[in-house]
Amino acid sequence: MGFLTWIIVGLIAGWLAGQVMKGGGYGILVDIILGILGGIVGGWVFGMLGLHSGGLIGSIVVSFVGAVILVWVTRLVKKK
């Protein structure tokens, strides 16, 4: 995947995670970062489960799942 594709996937996944998680997103830049980092986390989680994604939609789904996990962990840490 090209750099621009990573940014687009990160933006979509981060925005979706911000919408699904209660309280909304963190802003476009943080949503992109969460989406990109979510791709790494999601890829690791899916790999541990023996699942593999393909194509743009698969990448968005994996990044979304990872971003949701990151938002959840971030909010847990913020509460303390």
Side-chain angles (χ1 to χ4, degrees):
M1 257 196 250
F3 183 72
L4 183 60
T5 306
W6 278 102
I7 297 295
I8 293 169
V9 167
L11 174 61
I12 294 169
W15 178 80
L16 284 172
Q19 296 302 307
V20 168
M21 298 298 288
K22 198 173 182 180
Y26 290 105
I28 192 163
L29 183 61
V30 177
D31 282 350
I32 290 172
I33 293 169
L34 281 174
I36 292 171
L37 293 175
I40 296 167
V41 171
W44 179 76
V45 168
F46 275 58
M48 295 295 285
L49 296 173
L51 302 171
H52 303 283
S53 68
L56 184 62
I57 300 298
S59 296
I60 291 171
V61 169
V62 168
S63 296
F64 166 72
V65 170
V68 166
I69 292 169
L70 285 176
V71 169
W72 178 68
V73 168
T74 303
R75 290 185 181 171
L76 283 177
V77 170
K78 276 180 119 177
K79 286 184 179 180
K80 292 183 178 187

